[in-house]
């Protein structure tokens, strides 16, 4: 038969579990209401769906649609003493930070120190009327437009405006200064012979050429750097004047001799000409004038009021190409007091900004510093004519913007830009103490808005570009402030603005990073309270409470997912702050406090199940751990066994939550309260396993009952109950894999329980399946009552084996090896090995038990078949070559049954069946042979009823000698059966008993002459095993030359002494065996060598053979050494040796060139061989009697030990 492929049990289950029509057709789940599917694949699907939902961030709160500035907190004055209560600041997601309740109550037009708006307004009117600079926004807007804008911004009436405008027109102009910074030059034209120059710059106004300003000289360079500052008074006619900048090459006063020393510094021919020219001029005139490199001219009206920096091209009248470039900065200033000017500018900035915000109706957090053209022009003129530096301007903007953002939030990017401009000055100490205080007062007003944004981050849409950009800007503000030194006198976090803030235990001030951490924690706490408030438990049942906990975990997990995906990267990049880890630390502690007592209570209230092994009827419930139960009445099969999946849905939700925490905090996650969450569920898992074991037995029993014992697929040999049983194991495995129990000791406990239960289920299934087919297959006819192999038997056997094969892979997929490895790490390797061996013994015992069940079932089936098989053998031995209808019936029976076995058993079970058949046959045949040897009746009535045999066949069971033909026919019948079983014309089987029996049948079926030769072959085989010859050695050489045998008998050694003198008179006689085949061949004999135990025969014999004799396959040369006895009737036997034809070379070479063959001499010590026993049983055969007599004479004791 062709080799049958072994089918992977799990692979087929995975496939069949998806084909719902197979299971639904039988509705096997109705037995336990799909218990295993609910906790296996369905629970897995639910968990996967929940994980997908948790990974999707929640939408922002509805409040996100409201503007953050709409809800205002009560304004508490800074000098009011407010204690920080432990519960303060816990209001849920309300804008309660630092915003004043009513911004209209604050007068933004009057400074607290008494500055009058009219005076400021008059100053601004004057500056509009007397613009300085050009190319400004103010020039483009026009004077009238700016006057109208400022009137509207200051809310001045027309009459008042006219009055103040008249005063402005009559006001004396202040003295303005033009500030010039000469920065650097590039690519200047060389003027010295060395190819370089010694440049310096001269600055003057065209209206006052006599008043010149010079920079220092930079020697030997074409790219000088000066960075020198100059202030030039500006005349009244600003529009007509211009600034001139000249770059000169300095020529020092040197004598001709000194100039001659520079000859080695000359560069090129051109440089040499210059040097010669300088020497000639000095020698003739003695002068040393500086040489002009280039000039740049810039009209004052082209310089903006806000100042500018630019590169100027240097030109020279006589030269067409550029002579180089010069970088310079220009700005206007006045001699007004800097503090007063800065204060005026802050007031002006505040008034104009409020007007801009009011008129533009810009949304909160959107205004980013872009004033209208008129406002920009007014501010620029005021800054220029007040002499404010860029730093003064930026500090004023910071102060005003921070103050206004508390009521009308401005763009955080605006503050970031200002911080970039002032941070360097603050760090280097370039800002006076008063301005530093002004800066931190502004920061103090800005920080509550920043921290409020972080606390209420959940009101924003995660992932939105604007939201992410705003968050980044907020964190940048905090970072830039954190790297500055806060003055000791500044309290950045007053209690009245930060009710949620907790002081440090050591009394030191909180840093910005610490407040950020508390803001994040507070925001998470507020969100958790919000979740609980908006997701209340519907009722107090255990199911509802567990569902409520799952929902809370999912919502918290979703918030964490949003933090991980969107916010965490920003916090880390800007502040090096683990935002998600901080959130997780808050959430896991609150979830542990919420979930642990609920789960422990639910698990304690469960009833424990106990049942008798091997039975699903004897089931009772033990009391709960605390004696209470909330699950219902204790009827078996009702509420206590209808365990819901919600508890384990909660377990899986916590598992996913902990996995997230392990990813966020890989090194310290063990410190989390939730890290031991699995211990809360220990009782629940134990209860589930008890219920699962009971329901598994119940479902197996039902599956066997509903099984039609028909293969579920054309490619396999097992039926539905086998698939159903493995489906149970598969669902249990899925359930266990989902648990992923982290504690190794608990893991081992549960896996040991699962393995033990599964093994019990396998044994239970084997018993039920065996009982199912025990009465199947018996057929009665008028001729006989016989057993026929049915597909039911084959499928039942395959089913049991299919379930058995699943045990080992099932245990491997439970992760047993990993558990043992972890036990080696946590415990001692010896203890881990002991646990492993315990489990392996449980599995091995279960596999052996189930395998024995299969063997038992096969033996039952074969024993039912054996009467017919035995009958065929016995009748076949008598009627093999006769025409008999009973033989035809028996052969048809055999063919039909063997075909059924082959078609429906899998390869392994079919092989097992044949092994059992051969074993049973071996017992029957061996009994027949032994009965023949022992002259008794064959004891095979347990296999066959003699009354159903033919008379001649029944007579063979009697105690009589059976002829060789009986055994020969019996052997032939056996070979027919083997061919029928194997159907491949090969007499191959694994049964050692049957191999032995076949050998004996073949032996007993031989004729006497064949048996005698078989005996000699056995003696030759025994000779091969002699390593220490005690009776001497015979040395010969032999060869075949075509059909002739040349034999050279050379010598003997250490012969046994046979005479009284201790010597021997020996000769050698050679005979060819078998005797009947070589009857006409002479038996050569050597000369007798007297009184010698080491005779040298040295005789050559040439024996002629015919072609057939030469080709006999098992031919032997029988060499017998005897002692010549002059006074005795017969000579004394000394020893014998054999030489097989296969050991004799066929070669024409000289025999002297062939190797000597040393043959050990021996004699039969006892006569117990199979051939001798067969000859002994033939007592009526003369040839056999005479041969046995000769063999007895060869024995030392002359005794014959019969084993018959």
């Amino acid at each position: 038969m062709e080799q049958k492929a072994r089918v992977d049990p799990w692979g087929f289950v995975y496939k069949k579990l998806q084909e719902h029509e197979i299971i639904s057709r039988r509705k096997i789940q109705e037995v336990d209401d799909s218990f295993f599917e609910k906790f296996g694949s369905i629970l897995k699907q639910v968990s996967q769906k929940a994980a997908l939902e948790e990974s999707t961030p929640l939408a922002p709160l509805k409040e996100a649609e409201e503007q953050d500035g709409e809800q205002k907190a009560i304004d508490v004055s800074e000098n009011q003493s407010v204690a920080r209560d432990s519960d303060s600041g816990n209001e849920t997601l309300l804008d309660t930070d630092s915003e004043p309740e009513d911004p209209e109550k604050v007068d933004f037009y009057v400074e607290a120190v008494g500055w009058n708006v009219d005076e400021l307004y008059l100053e601004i009117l004057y500056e509009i009327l007397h613009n300085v600079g050009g190319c400004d926004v103010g020039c483009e807007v026009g004077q009238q437009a700016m006057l109208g804008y400022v009137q509207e911004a200051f809310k001045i009436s027309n009459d008042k405006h006219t009055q103040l405008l008249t005063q402005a027109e009559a006001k004396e102009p202040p003295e303005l200064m033009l500030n010039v910074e000469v920065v650097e030059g590039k690519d200047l034209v060389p003027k010295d012979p060395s190819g370089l120059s010694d440049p310096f710059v001269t600055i003057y106004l065209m209206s006052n050429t006599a008043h010149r300003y010079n920079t220092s000289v930079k020697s030997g360079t074409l790219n000088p750097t000066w960075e020198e500052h100059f202030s030039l008074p500006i005349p009244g006619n600003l529009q007509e004047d211009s600034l001139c900048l000249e770059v000169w090459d300095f020529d020092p006063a040197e004598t001709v001799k000194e100039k001659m020393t520079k000859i080695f510094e000359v560069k090129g021919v051109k440089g040499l000409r210059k040097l010669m020219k300088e020497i000639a001029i000095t020698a003739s005139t003695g002068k040393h004038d500086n040489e002009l490199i280039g000039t740049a001219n810039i009209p004052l009206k082209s310089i903006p009021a806000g100042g500018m920096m630019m590169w100027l091209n240097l030109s020279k009248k006589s030269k067409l190409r550029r002579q180089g470039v010069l970088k310079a900065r220009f700005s206007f200033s006045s001699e007004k007091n800097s503090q007063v000017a800065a204060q005026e500018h802050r007031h002006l900035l505040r008034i104009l900004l409020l007007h801009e915000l009011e008129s533009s109706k810009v949304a909160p957090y959107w205004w980013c510093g872009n004033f209208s053209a008129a406002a920009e022009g007014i501010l620029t003129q005021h800054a220029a004519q007040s002499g404010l530096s860029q730093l003064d301007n930026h500090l004023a903007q910071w102060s005003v913007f921070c103050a206004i953002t508390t009521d009308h939030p401005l763009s955080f990017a605006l503050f970031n830009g200002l911080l970039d401009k002032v941070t360097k000055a603050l760090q280097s100490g370039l800002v006076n103490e008063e301005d530093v205080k002004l800066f931190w007062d502004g920061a103090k007003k800005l920080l509550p808005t920043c921290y409020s944004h972080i606390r209420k981050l959940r009101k924003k849409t995660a992932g939105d570009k604007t939201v992410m950009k705003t968050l980044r800007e907020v964190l940048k503000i905090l970072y830039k402030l954190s790297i500055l030194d806060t003055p000791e006198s500044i309290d950045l976090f007053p209690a009245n603005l930060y009710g949620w803030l907790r002081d440090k235990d050591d009394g030191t001030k909180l840093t910005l990073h610490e407040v950020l951490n508390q803001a994040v924690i507070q925001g998470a706490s507020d969100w958790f309270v919000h979740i609980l408030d908006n997701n209340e438990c519907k009722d107090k049942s255990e199911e509802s409470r567990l569902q409520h906990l799952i929902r809370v975990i999912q919502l918290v997990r979703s918030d964490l997912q949003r933090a991980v995906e969107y916010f965490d990267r920003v916090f880390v990049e800007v502040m090096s702050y683990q935002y998600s880890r901080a959130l997780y630390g808050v959430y896991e502690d609150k979830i542990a406090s919420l979930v642990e007592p609920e789960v422990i209570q639910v698990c304690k209230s469960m009833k424990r199940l106990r049942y008798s092994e091997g039975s699903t009827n004897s089931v009772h419930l033990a009391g709960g751990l605390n004696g209470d139960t909330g699950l219902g009445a204790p009827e078996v099969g009702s509420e206590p066994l209808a365990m819901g999946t919600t508890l384990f849905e909660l377990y899986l939700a916590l598992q996913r939550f902990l996995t997230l925490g392990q990813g966020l905090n890989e090194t310290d996650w063990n410190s989390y309260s939730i890290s031991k969450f699995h211990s809360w569920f220990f009782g629940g898992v134990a209860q589930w396993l008890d219920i699962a074991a009971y329901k598994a037995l119940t479902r197996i029993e039902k599956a066997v009952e509903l099984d039609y014992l028909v293969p579920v697929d054309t490619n396999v040999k097992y039926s539905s109950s086998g698939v159903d049983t493995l489906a149970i194991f598969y669902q249990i495995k899925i359930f266990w894999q989902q648990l992923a129990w982290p504690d190794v000791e608990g893991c081992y406990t549960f896996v040991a329980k699962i393995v033990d239960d599964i093994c019990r289920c396998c044994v239970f299934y084997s018993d039920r399946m065996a009982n199912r087919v025990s009465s199947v297959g018996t057929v009665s006819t008028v001729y006989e009552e016989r057993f026929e192999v049915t597909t039911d038997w084959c499928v039942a056997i395959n089913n049991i084996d299919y379930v058995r094969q699943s045990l080992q892979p099932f245990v491997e997929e439970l992760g047993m090896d990993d558990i043992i490895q972890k036990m080696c790490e946590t415990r001692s390797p010896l203890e881990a090995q002991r646990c492993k061996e315990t489990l392996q013994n449980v599995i091995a015992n279960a596999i052996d038990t189930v395998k024995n069940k299969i063997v038992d079932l096969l033996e039952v089936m074969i024993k039912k078949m054996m009467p017919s098989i035995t009958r065929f053998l016995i009748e076949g031995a008598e009627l093999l070559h006769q025409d008999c209808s009973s033989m035809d019936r028996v052969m048809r029976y055999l063919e039909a049954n063997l075909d059924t076995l082959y078609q429906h058993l899998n390869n392994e079970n079919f092989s097992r069946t044949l092994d059992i058949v051969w074993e049973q046959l071996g017992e029957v045949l061996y009994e027949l042979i032994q009965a023949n040897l022992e002259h008794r009746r064959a004891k095979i009535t347990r296999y066959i009823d003699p009354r159903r045999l033919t008379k001649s066949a029944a007579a063979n069971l009697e105690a009589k000698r059976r002829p060789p033909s009986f055994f020969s026919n019996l052997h032939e019948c056996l070979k027919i059966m083997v061919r029928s079983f194997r159907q491949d014309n090969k007499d191959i089987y694994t049964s050692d008993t049957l191999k032995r029996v076949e050998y004996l049948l073949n032996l007993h079926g031989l004729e006497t002459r064949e048996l005698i030769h078989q005996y000699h072959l056995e003696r030759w085989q025994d000779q091969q095993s002699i390593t220490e010859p005690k009776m001497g050695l015979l040395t010969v050489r032999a060869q075949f030359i075509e059909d002739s045998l040349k034999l050279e008998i050379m010598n003997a050694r250490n012969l046994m002494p046979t005479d009284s003198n201790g010597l021997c008179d020996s000769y050698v006689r050679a005979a060819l065996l078998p005797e009947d085949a070589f009857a006409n061949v002479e038996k050569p004999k050597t000369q007798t060598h007297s009184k010698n135990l080491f005779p040298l025969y040295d005789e050559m014999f040439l024996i002629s053979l015919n072609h057939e004799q030469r080709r006999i396959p098992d031919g032997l040369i029988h060499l017998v050494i005897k002692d010549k006895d002059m006074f005795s009737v017969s000579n004394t036997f000394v020893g014998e040796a054999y030489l097989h034809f296969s050991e004799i070379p066929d070669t024409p070479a000289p025999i002297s060139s062939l190797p000597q063959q040393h043959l050990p001499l021996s004699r039969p010590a006892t006569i117990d061989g199979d051939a001798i026993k067969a000859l002994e049983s033939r007592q009526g055969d003369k040839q056999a009697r005479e041969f046995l007599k000769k063999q007895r004479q060869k024995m030392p004791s002359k005794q014959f030990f019969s084993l018959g």
Side-chain angles (χ1 to χ4, degrees), residues 869 872-882 887 891 894 918 921 925 929 964-981 985 987 989 994 997-1006:
I869 296 175
F872 165 65
L873 285 173
I874 296 176
E875 291 185 351
E878 294 291 338
L879 310 172
L880 179 63
H881 302 293
Q882 302 177 22
M887 282 300 299
M891 288 303 294
L894 285 174
W918 305 140
L921 280 175
L925 297 175
I929 295 170
S965 61
F966 172 81
F967 294 102
S968 177
N969 290 346
L970 202 58
H971 187 205
E972 188 65 28
C973 292
L974 175 62
K975 290 193 287 186
I976 292 173
M977 288 192 64
V978 170
R979 286 195 295 270
S980 298
F981 269 81
N985 296 323
D987 299 338
Y989 33 76
L994 195 59
V997 165
E998 186 183 16
Y999 168 74
L1000 292 176
L1001 286 177
N1002 181 60
L1003 197 66
H1004 283 267
L1006 297 176

Side-chain angles (χ1 to χ4, degrees), residues 689-701:
L689 291 177
D690 285 340
I691 295 175
Y694 168 74
K695 288 187 177 290
L697 298 179
T698 305
R699 182 181 281 200
I700 288 172
E701 196 165 33

